[in-house]
Amino acid sequence: IANAAVIYNPTISFYKDGKYSATLTMQRAEINLDNYNVIGFGNCVVKTADGQVLKTTDIHYDSKNNKVYSNKGVQIQRASEFLEGASFEADTSLKNIVIYKQSIVINDAGNNSI
């Protein structure tokens, strides 16, 4: 990236219609100063207002479309399930998400029988 800034341990907060929706943290980010797209490296974590947690090693943020994506492995923890996949694309609140080559573990706290 020709016109870029490198930031270490940044935190990016996302808002939708003026309301907080999620936070993205990572070890290092390259920010394109022309379009504000971000490429994050190392321990990338998205935590949403409704309690979802997404983890991946590298992440891209598309500021024009307000989307995050990665072609690296991804893990998502929700209240009742744990998802893993080879890659993903999503809006920043993780409301609309596509996980490629996914597996799901459903946590049924009320039923411990197998």
Side-chain angles (χ1 to χ4, degrees):
I1 304 172
N3 191 18
V6 176
I7 300 174
Y8 292 90
N9 299 309
T11 297
I12 301 171
S13 296
F14 299 112
Y15 294 84
K16 184 171 183 171
D17 302 324
K19 185 177 178 184
Y20 169 78
S21 63
T23 300
L24 168 61
T25 58
M26 65 213 85
Q27 290 179 330
R28 180 173 62 92
E30 292 180 8
I31 302 170
N32 183 322
L33 298 176
D34 294 325
N35 59 19
Y36 301 105
N37 288 346
V38 176
I39 303 172
F41 303 96
N43 295 324
C44 303
V45 179
V46 177
K47 293 183 181 179
T48 65
D50 65 359
Q52 297 180 73
V53 179
L54 177 147
K55 295 180 180 180
T56 186
T57 57
D58 299 344
I59 199 165
H60 294 257
Y61 167 61
D62 177 342
S63 65
K64 180 179 178 183
N65 297 305
N66 204 32
K67 295 199 179 277
V68 290
Y69 60 93
S70 178
N71 62 359
K72 305 287 183 168
V74 62
Q75 298 177 333
I76 301 173
Q77 180 67 54
R78 293 181 170 161
S80 62
E81 61 189 7
F82 178 79
L83 300 92
E84 288 184 308
S87 59
F88 81 97
E89 19 182 292
D91 61 12
T92 56
S93 63
L94 306 181
K95 299 281 187 211
N96 300 298
I97 186 166
V98 177
I99 302 171
Y100 300 96
K101 296 182 181 175
Q102 73 175 310
S103 63
I104 301 172
V105 176
I106 298 173
N107 179 11
D108 183 4
N111 184 359
N112 293 328
S113 62
I114 297 177

